[in-house]
Amino acid sequence: MPNAVWLRFYKMPFAKVYPAYIAKAERKGRTKAEIDEIIRWLTGYSQSQLEAEIAAGTDVETFYTKAPALNPARSLITGTICGDRVQDIEEPLRRECRYLDKLIDELAKGKAMEKILRAG
């Protein structure tokens, strides 16, 4: 069962989290376009669908549960983010959130997009 902090996070509009991802990337010389590419790769949303979900104020939980096609290669995302070993998180929604956190972290650390997107 998720704790109270995570329960509040899941109900937060994705549109409130999204600017923080962009700001983190831009501080490190990366772009909003790269953030969008990562989100599209992870969730299967098209760019127009992503923009529509953000504009609609869709909460984080719904954003992930209604994702068109969660990428099966996301299981290749491993490592630690905020003290959590991503691959060991049992609660599915929290794991999905941490997958995106990990990918954004890799982008901010300068990793190449093909490695972030687990291509080859």
Side-chain angles (χ1 to χ4, degrees), residues 63-113:
F63 182 80
Y64 285 105
T65 59
K66 289 180 59 183
L70 292 171
N71 193 316
R74 73 193 190 287
S75 64
L76 300 174
I77 302 168
T78 59
T80 304
I81 187 82
C82 298
D84 289 331
R85 239 183 212 297
V86 178
Q87 64 273 21
D88 296 339
I89 298 171
E90 292 185 23
E91 201 245 310
L93 183 55
R94 183 174 175 195
R95 186 174 51 246
E96 296 305 328
C97 295
R98 287 303 194 191
Y99 281 150
L100 182 55
D101 291 343
K102 182 66 177 168
L103 296 177
I104 302 299
D105 195 48
E106 290 176 359
L107 180 71
K109 288 181 177 175
K111 201 169 192 182
M113 280 302 277

Side-chain angles (χ1 to χ4, degrees), residues 6-105:
W6 279 99
L7 289 173
R8 282 191 305 276
F9 178 76
Y10 298 153
K11 296 304 175 193
M12 181 183 300
F14 186 78
K16 284 194 162 233
V17 180
Y18 180 69
Y21 292 141
I22 294 168
K24 181 175 185 175
E26 289 178 343
R27 279 193 308 271
K28 299 294 185 167
R30 304 305 288 256
T31 67
K32 175 189 176 296
E34 289 173 310
I35 295 293
D36 289 354
E37 182 178 356
I38 287 169
I39 294 170
R40 291 191 318 266
W41 176 88
L42 184 65
T43 63
Y45 285 109
S46 68
Q47 187 64 35
S48 61
Q49 289 171 319
L50 172 60
E51 291 168 5
E53 294 298 327
I54 291 167
T58 302
D59 63 61
V60 170
E61 180 176 20
T62 304
F63 182 80
Y64 285 105
T65 59
K66 289 180 59 183
L70 292 171
N71 193 316
R74 73 193 190 287
S75 64
L76 300 174
I77 302 168
T78 59
T80 304
I81 187 82
C82 298
D84 289 331
R85 239 183 212 297
V86 178
Q87 64 273 21
D88 296 339
I89 298 171
E90 292 185 23
E91 201 245 310
L93 183 55
R94 183 174 175 195
R95 186 174 51 246
E96 296 305 328
C97 295
R98 287 303 194 191
Y99 281 150
L100 182 55
D101 291 343
K102 182 66 177 168
L103 296 177
I104 302 299
D105 195 48

